[in-house]
Amino acid sequence: MALKKEAIFAGTFDPFTLGHLAVVKQALKTFNKVIILLAINDKKKPTYSLKERKKFIELSTKGLKGVVIDYTDGYVVDYAKKHCINILIRGIRNEKDYEYEAKMSKINQKLAPDIMTVAINATARYRDISSSKVKALKQKGEDLSPYVAKTIIKYL
């Protein structure tokens, strides 16, 4: 019997970018199922509503087998424990991301020792993409097609 391999890729995804999509596609090479988990963080004030962000992810990942979209307003590790998933996926673009994710992984290990963080390095093509950059470019009226799925541009 094959192991059921599931992982969680959590974030605010405000909005979901091609960089996020690349991480999901990489994760699907190893995991049968990737849960894209919209993490609701009271400290962050997203530009787009939860419903909009979910729609952006649905449109961006359409046709990808093994993708599930969900949300949580609690700790990601608590969601993982509740759903018996012991892998968290994190995308790493640069040293700053690495340092932040290493700290988060350490905290998560204290909260849930059985849960492991797997880092996926961004390819050069997506290393400079961030949701903040997308929003800034949108405000300037720039072309967003190099940064987000074409299916969501009209909604941004």
Side-chain angles (χ1 to χ4, degrees):
M1 183 172 157
L3 290 175
K4 184 176 170 187
K5 297 189 291 182
E6 298 179 350
I8 296 171
F9 179 41
T12 308
F13 305 119
D14 186 39
F16 194 76
T17 69
L18 291 176
H20 295 131
L21 183 59
V23 169
V24 171
K25 286 179 177 179
Q26 274 298 114
L28 285 170
K29 291 178 182 179
T30 302
F31 302 99
N32 298 331
K33 181 164 119 179
V34 174
I35 298 165
I36 302 174
L37 187 65
L38 281 155
I40 301 166
N41 183 340
D42 291 338
K43 294 176 185 170
K44 291 185 176 184
K45 300 294 178 208
T47 301
Y48 301 99
S49 70
L50 180 65
K51 186 177 178 180
E52 288 171 315
R53 290 180 282 144
K54 184 174 188 260
K55 180 178 185 171
F56 298 159
I57 296 168
E58 288 169 348
L59 291 170
S60 298
T61 60
K62 190 174 182 177
L64 286 181
K65 186 179 176 190
V67 171
V68 173
I69 304 161
D70 204 354
Y71 69 92
T72 184
D73 58 0
Y75 289 122
V76 173
V77 292
D78 290 339
Y79 178 96
K81 286 191 281 189
K82 180 180 176 183
H83 292 87
C84 300
I85 300 168
N86 65 350
I87 304 287
L88 303 180
I89 300 292
R90 301 304 299 162
I92 306 288
R93 293 171 298 181
N94 52 40
E95 295 82 14
K96 185 177 176 184
D97 279 358
Y98 177 80
E99 288 176 17
Y100 174 80
E101 295 301 344
K103 288 177 189 172
M104 288 303 300
S105 179
K106 191 174 183 179
I107 292 167
N108 287 338
Q109 281 290 300
K110 286 182 181 178
L111 295 173
D114 294 337
I115 296 177
M116 177 174 63
T117 300
V118 174
I120 296 179
N121 291 318
T123 59
R125 180 177 182 187
Y126 299 116
R127 201 160 278 139
D128 295 327
I129 297 177
S130 70
S131 295
S132 299
K133 183 176 185 175
V134 169
K135 289 186 280 191
L137 291 170
K138 178 189 174 277
Q139 285 186 329
K140 292 181 178 183
E142 298 288 331
D143 176 22
L144 300 180
S145 62
Y147 309 103
V148 298
K150 289 174 180 37
T151 54
I152 72 168
I153 291 175
K154 66 183 175 184
Y155 299 103
L156 300 176

